[in-house]
Amino acid sequence: MKRTILLLATMMALMMSSATMAKKVKSVQQTDREYWCSLAYRMAQPVLENMAKGELQKNMQTEFSPSFDNRNRKVVYMETFGRLMAGVAPWLTLPDDDTTEGQQRRQLREWALQSYKNSVDPDSPDYLCWGVAGQNLVDAAYIAESFLRAYDQLWVPLDEVTKQRYIKEFQKLRRIDPPYTNWLLFSSVIEGFIAKAAGQREYDEYRVNSACRKMEEWYVGDGWFSDGPEFAFNYYSSFVFHPMYLETLQAMIDAKVNSRLDYQKYYDRELRRTQKFSIILERFISPEGTFPVFGRSIPYRMACLQPLALMAWYEKLPQDLTNGQVRNALTSVLHRMFDKQQNFNAGGYLTIGFCGSQPETADWYTNNGSLYMTTLCFMPLGLPSTHPFWADAPEPCTQAKAWNGMPFPKDHDWKDEIRTRDKW
């Protein structure tokens, strides 16, 4: 009898202990925002901590496509820095606080400001390879984009010498003739930033307006752009077209430029097109947290969904999409992509691949600096934790609703409602 009582007491103690442990595990489970922050910090920390010390080019563990071309391999560092900063810039716009996230954010901002300075200082070991290859135009555009996304926090605090160095480096890139593709927007974003930061006398109006006109010619409808005169089925409408076209137009509005183009009308029309495309991207996300893999540059990973993240950060999600639905969809993809696969090398830098280390997915221009495009999905971190994007309850994505007999919005064409003509 005593043995039975002792056995029962032991079992009860174990059950109580297990219940207590379960409660503790549940209590320390990350929120969606904490998970996003942990990933963003994991990607940014080794880059910015090293670059702030002038040691990125010394310490970064690099990786290049098996078919990498003969360009200067130092482009890897400019790609890493520019693309990373374009992704985390919105997060760094939030005010400081004493939370764990706030401390990480403050540290990243301090590192970033020193890294910006080093990247244009000829005496720094981490001076970037400005102007040595056409590729520099691409990644200078992402640096300019990062300034546009966090102008007051990342551009304004820089010292005047550093600012003038940036303007001069940006202007020197005019000698690069961009291919007749999405590259026109790299020029226009840089010139738009120059107009905003240095004044209308310093920017090249033609590079902006010609790019805008081509975007209108290459828009094929229902949110999609043709990448040049011929349509290519890939994610470049996500990687470049929608975000950089919107940001070019917004920069011209901010700079109060008066040209033949009515930038506000162009912006309003492009915003609506981006909203339509964000609907398409959300519908690409499966109940399992996957989305279709097609087209070139697929190692850019989460950048495929950039317009959806951009609309969330802008607080301009279309009526068919809720904050809880978009956050839940993007979080499910992040977990599916980053929780178990080998996405980081021993030094903490991204590896070439889509979902893990998959070097065979690389294009001839891919290096592991290119992959920091994936941080472009982190833009909603620029919304405070109390915002509905983070505070609303999670909702199933459209595909989960459709495949489980739940009501879901019917998709339809979005026709342009705004017409533009030259002002003179």
Side-chain angles (χ1 to χ4, degrees):
M1 185 70 175
K2 288 183 178 179
R3 288 182 179 177
T4 303
I5 294 173
L6 182 60
L7 181 60
L8 287 171
T10 302
M11 290 176 63
M12 288 293 292
L14 287 171
M15 290 172 64
M16 291 175 67
S17 176
S18 297
T20 302
M21 289 176 64
K23 286 181 180 179
K24 287 182 178 179
V25 170
K26 188 174 182 180
S27 66
V28 299
Q29 186 176 7
Q30 285 181 313
T31 64
D32 287 348
R33 185 178 179 91
E34 288 170 340
Y35 175 69
W36 284 48
C37 290
S38 67
L39 265 181
Y41 189 81
R42 183 180 182 184
M43 292 181 195
Q45 177 264 324
V47 175
L48 297 183
E49 183 176 13
N50 275 292
M51 195 165 181
K53 298 174 184 176
E55 297 179 352
L56 180 67
Q57 298 185 36
K58 172 186 174 184
N59 294 333
M60 182 176 177
Q61 293 185 16
T62 59
E63 181 183 3
F64 294 85
S65 167
S67 59
F68 199 73
D69 64 6
N70 61 359
R71 75 184 70 182
N72 189 323
R73 291 199 169 204
K74 284 192 174 184
V75 297
V76 62
Y77 306 112
M78 194 169 190
E79 292 189 42
T80 302
F81 179 62
R83 297 172 189 217
L84 170 70
M85 289 312 305
V88 301
W91 188 28
L92 305 186
T93 63
L94 294 182
D96 290 336
D97 58 53
D98 292 327
T99 63
T100 299
E101 175 194 338
Q103 293 171 9
Q104 290 180 333
R105 202 168 55 235
R106 181 167 54 248
Q107 179 65 84
L108 290 179
R109 191 187 306 113
E110 290 173 359
W111 284 336
L113 289 170
Q114 184 59 46
S115 298
Y116 279 121
K117 182 176 180 179
N118 289 344
S119 73
V120 288
D121 181 356
D123 294 327
S124 169
D126 276 340
Y127 176 69
L128 296 177
C129 58
W130 295 89
V132 302
Q135 180 64 34
N136 295 144
L137 179 65
V138 179
D139 298 296
Y142 285 104
I143 294 176
E145 186 177 48
S146 74
F147 287 141
L148 290 172
R149 289 178 174 179
Y151 191 83
D152 291 339
Q153 294 78 17
L154 298 180
W155 174 255
V156 172
L158 295 176
D159 61 89
E160 288 304 313
V161 170
T162 298
K163 288 179 179 178
Q164 288 304 311
R165 284 173 171 169
Y166 268 107
I167 298 301
K168 289 179 181 178
E169 296 286 12
F170 285 146
Q171 290 174 331
K172 288 179 187 176
L173 294 172
R174 290 171 183 163
R175 66 174 176 263
I176 297 174
D177 180 22
Y180 201 49
T181 63
N182 65 86
W183 278 50
L184 298 182
L185 285 168
F186 300 139
S187 291
S188 72
V189 162
I190 291 171
E191 297 300 333
F193 170 72
I194 292 173
K196 179 173 179 174
Q200 296 184 31
R201 292 184 178 181
E202 300 296 326
Y203 91 107
D204 185 337
E205 182 178 288
Y206 180 76
R207 284 179 177 255
V208 173
N209 286 4
S210 61
C212 293
R213 295 185 193 282
K214 283 301 166 186
M215 295 312 106
E216 296 305 321
E217 289 181 22
W218 293 345
Y219 182 68
V220 297
D222 225 22
W224 291 91
F225 282 94
S226 170
D227 194 1
E230 297 181 359
F231 181 78
F233 190 54
N234 56 38
Y235 282 105
Y236 272 81
S237 288
S238 288
F239 299 150
V240 181
F241 281 102
H242 286 296
M244 287 198 168
Y245 190 22
L246 274 176
E247 287 164 323
T248 294
L249 294 168
Q250 185 62 62
M252 301 309 285
I253 294 168
D254 291 346
K256 297 181 172 55
V257 172
N258 181 28
S259 78
R260 290 183 181 274
L261 303 190
D262 188 330
Y263 298 115
Q264 187 63 59
K265 283 188 176 181
Y266 276 70
Y267 180 91
D268 293 342
R269 181 167 59 190
E270 171 53 23
L271 177 64
R272 180 172 168 80
R273 292 170 177 173
T274 309
Q275 289 174 319
K276 169 57 183 178
F277 196 65
S278 68
I279 289 176
I280 293 173
L281 293 174
E282 193 275 341
R283 285 175 182 253
F284 277 177
I285 299 172
S286 76
E288 297 76 31
T290 63
F291 61 86
V293 182
F294 60 84
R296 65 189 180 93
S297 299
I298 206 63
Y300 295 172
R301 294 179 170 92
M302 294 294 295
C304 297
L305 305 176
Q306 182 183 189
L308 185 59
L310 184 70
M311 290 297 94
W313 178 45
Y314 279 3
E315 301 180 87
K316 296 292 185 182
L317 286 173
Q319 187 175 0
D320 289 349
L321 299 177
T322 67
N323 282 291
Q325 176 183 359
V326 173
R327 184 191 78 244
N328 190 44
L330 290 174
T331 302
S332 70
V333 179
L334 285 168
H335 278 296
R336 180 67 180 82
M337 183 173 286
F338 288 103
D339 283 2
K340 297 179 181 179
Q341 308 299 337
Q342 187 184 348
N343 291 286
F344 298 88
N345 62 29
Y349 301 94
L350 288 170
T351 57
I352 293 178
F354 175 74
C355 187
S357 177
Q358 301 158 305
E360 71 280 358
T361 63
D363 296 284
W364 52 268
Y365 47 80
T366 309
N367 59 68
N368 66 331
S370 315
L371 317 182
Y372 284 85
M373 288 274 284
T374 195
T375 63
L376 298 171
C377 78
F378 291 133
M379 284 184 286
L381 286 175
L383 300 169
S385 60
T386 54
H387 188 276
F389 182 86
W390 299 107
D392 283 1
E395 297 180 35
C397 64
T398 300
Q399 295 301 325
K401 293 176 182 178
W403 286 95
N404 286 283
M406 302 166 64
F408 66 96
K410 183 172 69 67
D411 200 11
H412 57 86
D413 291 344
W414 281 39
K415 302 298 185 184
D416 284 340
E417 297 176 347
I418 299 173
R419 296 287 180 266
T420 59
R421 295 181 178 176
D422 283 4
K423 290 187 291 185
W424 64 82

